[in-house]
Amino acid sequence: MAGKENKIPISEKLTDNENFLKEKIGVGTSFDLGIRKIQVLKREVHIYYCNGLCETQYLIELLKQIVRINDDERQTEQARKIIENRLVHQQVSLVQHLDEAVDRLLSGLIVIFIEGESIAFIVDVRSYPGRQPEEPDTEKVVRGARDGYVENIIVNTALTRRRIRDERLRFEILQVGERSKTDICIAYIKDVADPGLVELVKQELGQISIDGLTMGDKTVEEFLVKQGYNPYPLVRYTERPDVAATHLLEGHVLVMVDTSPSVIITPTTFFHHVQHAEEYRQSPAVGTFVRWVRFLGILTSLFLLPLWVLFVLEPSLLPDKWAFIGPNKQTNIPVIIQILLADFGIEFLRMAAIHTPTPLSTAMGLIAAVLIGQIAIDVGLFVPEVILYVAVAAIGSFATPSYELSIANKISRLFLVIAVALFKVPGLMIGTTVYLLWLISIRSLNTPYLWPFIPFDPAAFMQIIVRRSAAGAKVRPSIVHPQNRRRQPS
């Protein structure tokens, strides 16, 4: 985190302050940094601003109010107090050091220096460029709110507080990055969240030492949970304010990063990544059914291809009635090579769809599915069963709510397929065991990754299997160690 040990005090001479700002941040060189010099009660006043980050109309109105002082007031010895009273804005503060003034100026606030005063007024007239809240593409629901987080941290905190109007909801802000000075907000409910968890998150964020957070929340995540090369997500991302508010009420701590439309939810387990807001927008029975179908899709994305490869290599494991599962055509290319080629082909299509303009992506998908797939079968590159099972596994990946989890599952699936191809039945058994032991060993901010399955918590595990009604969910998850376990006041 950026820190200033030797802070330079604001000078009573405006020329000294101006020279410092010219040298420090390039006032007069950078075209977006401006200065307006005016005379108020026989004192010189300098107003610094950053074009594009502040609201021009507010700035003009403040200038009008300050200039009008010359017509209404005569007490020059009270200039500072009079100017402060004419700053008609709800957020006005004082700073005494030039380094603080620079940080505020580059964040979009305006800085007002007064001749003969060793302080500066800071007025928050920020107006960051950005889009309006809209429904996130990755978390769409049939029914429910259509707003979503944006790249503006102020808008994101407002969307959250609109849903939780609790006097104990806290938004603590800090700056990270020696050069970027990115605003990061820690959100929690004071009498619900575990104080130890809040302090742990603050400590980890405070230890970040980097020049900038250009990749926003992803960079913060890598410092926060120290993931290394573990592909499985250790925090959950959401762009939905209703999902974020729900986790706050459960006792989680949120991390909001300016310029990022996603909010980081901590701590999280594997099962946080397999739930979707749609389950809670339907009745409990329908939500449970949707959840089971989604679980089936996730298991399919992991184990369908390894099992099919095993049955192809060991046909004796199949009953005679299920003999159709294996390939019915002979090919010169080994099945394992076909699966790997088809699986990587799906990844090529996914990447191409991301980088292809929307009107062309549909046509590209049709060309890939109809022409490439069918021709590959006709020329003998693939047997039809390979295309079928790889496609079903891919659909299971797309049904996974968390994009990060779906990619991690794909990597694990490739590991299991190769293990089965090399060692057959022992490969599947040993590979699955190693996979489960690895998941068990993962911890996210001191939280077991497979909770409530391991360590087993029957009541919490039932809430994973069956979607409880709002009236039936009376206690908060114990894994976040909430101060207040009961969700419904007695």
Side-chain angles (χ1 to χ4, degrees):
M1 184 169 58
K4 301 290 188 300
E5 295 182 358
N6 300 318
K7 294 185 177 180
I8 302 175
I10 293 175
S11 173
E12 295 182 0
K13 296 181 179 180
L14 297 188
T15 54
D16 293 344
N17 298 330
E18 184 177 358
N19 292 333
F20 176 86
L21 293 175
K22 284 182 178 180
E23 180 182 353
K24 183 78 172 179
I25 61 176
V27 172
T29 302
S30 297
F31 78 94
D32 59 334
L33 298 176
I35 177 176
R36 181 72 165 89
K37 301 178 181 180
I38 58 178
Q39 287 282 340
V40 179
L41 298 178
K42 299 182 180 180
R43 290 203 197 182
E44 192 170 0
V45 176
H46 289 184
I47 303 175
Y48 292 86
Y49 56 90
C50 183
N51 278 317
L53 297 183
C54 62
E55 181 61 52
T56 303
Q57 293 302 320
Y58 286 148
L59 182 55
I60 293 174
E61 184 61 32
L62 286 174
L63 280 171
K64 288 179 180 179
Q65 293 291 333
I66 295 174
V67 171
R68 199 174 296 162
I69 294 175
N70 292 321
D71 301 327
D72 302 336
E73 303 288 346
R74 293 293 182 268
Q75 299 179 2
T76 57
E77 67 277 2
Q78 298 292 329
R80 169 181 165 179
K81 185 176 294 185
I82 293 172
I83 292 174
E84 182 177 5
N85 289 336
R86 292 299 182 94
L87 297 178
V88 287
H89 198 276
Q90 75 272 20
Q91 289 188 341
V92 179
S93 58
L94 296 175
V95 295
Q96 297 178 336
H97 298 91
L98 286 170
D99 300 290
E100 296 177 272
V102 167
D103 290 345
R104 303 296 191 277
L105 176 60
L106 296 179
S107 297
L109 293 78
I110 63 173
V111 182
I112 302 174
F113 294 101
I114 304 173
E115 183 183 2
E117 301 290 343
S118 59
I119 57 91
F121 291 113
I122 306 296
V123 186
D124 190 349
V125 295
R126 283 177 290 189
S127 179
Y128 293 156
R131 57 190 175 91
Q132 293 298 314
E134 58 188 13
E135 185 175 18
D137 290 333
T138 56
E139 296 179 90
K140 290 183 178 294
V141 294
V142 177
R143 299 185 186 277
R146 303 298 176 186
D147 58 348
Y149 287 129
V150 295
E151 290 77 9
N152 190 326
I153 193 172
I154 304 298
V155 175
N156 293 345
T157 55
L159 290 172
T160 306
R161 192 173 287 279
R162 184 182 179 188
R163 286 168 168 80
I164 304 179
R165 302 175 185 179
D166 187 359
E167 67 273 13
R168 290 152 292 194
L169 176 60
R170 299 288 184 267
F171 291 119
E172 298 188 20
I173 196 165
L174 64 154
Q175 288 189 334
V176 173
E178 181 65 30
R179 297 183 184 275
S180 67
K181 298 180 177 64
T182 305
D183 291 325
I184 296 181
C185 173
I186 303 172
Y188 62 94
I189 299 179
K190 187 176 181 181
D191 66 335
V192 175
D194 177 20
L197 175 61
V198 175
E199 288 303 318
L200 177 61
V201 173
K202 289 181 183 179
Q203 179 182 349
E204 294 294 339
L205 293 178
Q207 292 177 352
I208 296 178
S209 179
I210 193 173
D211 55 354
L213 301 177
T214 53
M215 292 294 107
D217 49 9
K218 187 58 185 176
T219 306
V220 173
E221 177 203 342
E222 293 180 2
F223 278 100
L224 184 63
V225 296
K226 300 175 178 60
Q227 186 171 8
Y229 287 97
N230 176 11
Y232 276 86
L234 302 183
V235 298
R236 181 182 177 183
Y237 288 99
T238 184
E239 296 183 36
R240 295 188 62 90
D242 49 2
V243 173
T246 299
H247 284 81
L248 279 174
L249 292 172
E250 288 182 351
H252 292 264
V253 176
L254 307 186
V255 179
M256 302 179 180
V257 183
D258 195 27
T259 73
S260 296
S262 301
V263 167
I264 298 175
I265 301 173
T266 62
T268 55
T269 67
F270 179 90
F271 296 101
H272 281 98
H273 298 277
V274 299
Q275 300 181 44
H276 193 272
E278 180 65 25
E279 301 165 8
Y280 295 90
R281 291 291 183 178
Q282 305 294 338
S283 66
V286 174
T288 300
F289 172 74
V290 171
R291 182 175 293 182
W292 289 356
V293 172
R294 184 171 286 112
F295 287 171
L296 179 62
I298 295 171
L299 291 174
T300 299
S301 70
L302 264 173
F303 296 108
L304 177 64
L305 286 180
L307 285 172
W308 185 71
V309 171
L310 178 63
F311 293 145
V312 170
L313 298 178
E314 295 283 357
S316 59
L317 296 175
L318 283 173
D320 294 338
K321 295 181 179 180
W322 288 18
F324 65 88
I325 288 180
N328 297 319
K329 294 182 180 179
Q330 296 296 326
T331 177
N332 294 326
I333 301 177
V335 171
I336 182 65
I337 300 299
Q338 295 183 41
I339 288 178
L340 294 177
L341 288 175
D343 220 0
F344 282 110
I346 295 290
E347 280 300 294
F348 292 155
L349 290 176
R350 182 186 64 81
M351 295 178 184
I354 293 175
H355 302 299
T356 303
T358 303
L360 300 178
S361 60
T362 303
M364 183 199 66
L366 291 174
I367 293 173
V370 177
L371 296 181
I372 299 179
Q374 186 59 46
I375 293 175
I377 293 174
D378 292 341
V379 301
L381 182 62
F382 296 129
V383 296
E385 290 85 352
V386 168
I387 300 296
L388 171 65
Y389 292 114
V390 168
V392 173
I395 293 173
S397 295
F398 296 146
T400 306
S402 169
Y403 171 75
E404 294 83 5
L405 180 64
S406 67
I407 298 298
N409 283 343
K410 172 166 285 193
I411 296 174
S412 300
R413 182 179 72 214
L414 291 175
F415 163 75
L416 291 176
V417 167
I418 294 174
V420 170
L422 294 177
F423 305 107
K424 299 181 181 178
V425 175
L428 178 63
M429 301 300 295
I430 296 174
T432 302
T433 302
V434 171
Y435 170 71
L436 290 176
L437 290 175
W438 179 42
L439 290 182
I440 293 171
S441 67
I442 298 175
R443 302 182 74 85
S444 172
L445 294 176
N446 301 325
T447 302
Y449 197 57
L450 285 187
W451 183 91
F453 179 57
I454 298 175
F456 188 63
D457 185 331
F461 190 70
M462 280 303 299
Q463 293 194 28
I464 297 295
I465 301 299
V466 179
R467 205 283 265 181
R468 288 279 188 89
S469 65
K474 297 182 178 180
V475 296
R476 295 183 171 88
S478 61
I479 195 64
V480 295
H481 306 292
Q483 299 181 67
N484 182 0
R485 282 297 309 277
R486 295 193 61 84
R487 302 188 62 171
Q488 300 179 16
S490 55

